[in-house]
Amino acid sequence: MHSCVSLHGIVGAQLREVTEMTYTMPPGSLLVLASDGLSTSWRLDRTPGLRERHPALVAAALYGLYRRGRDDVTVVVHRIPETP
């Protein structure tokens, strides 16, 4: 598991300088984007078989298992397509 750069702030509250970042991910990898309403302790390997499931199910499981409950939460999961 690798982490991407995370920035503090509230989306729409203050426009900061936009910095483009590029990451290389192998085919079949999952990209998980989440707001701070999701606990930082989430781990896909704590739920066997979850990584292989549909991205919508992965997002729902992460939401159900790791939402903080005191804040709004957004979870987006995308699987990098396998190359043909």
Side-chain angles (χ1 to χ4, degrees), residues 11-31:
V11 174
Q14 178 182 0
L15 180 61
R16 298 174 185 230
E17 182 177 328
V18 177
T19 303
E20 180 178 330
M21 296 171 207
T22 303
Y23 298 91
T24 302
M25 297 178 67
S29 297
L30 284 182
L31 173 64

Side-chain angles (χ1 to χ4, degrees), residues 31-82:
L31 173 64
V32 178
L33 304 173
S35 67
D36 63 351
L38 196 71
S39 170
T40 57
S41 66
W42 68 267
R43 301 256 328 221
L44 290 177
D45 59 359
R46 289 188 184 150
T47 307
L50 184 59
R51 183 182 310 272
E52 291 75 32
R53 306 297 267 180
H54 189 279
L57 182 62
V58 175
L62 292 175
Y63 173 86
L65 293 168
Y66 298 105
R67 70 180 181 274
R68 293 180 191 250
R70 65 177 191 272
D71 197 0
D72 60 328
V73 60
T74 300
V75 182
V76 177
V77 179
H78 172 71
R79 186 175 311 282
I80 306 305
E82 298 284 342

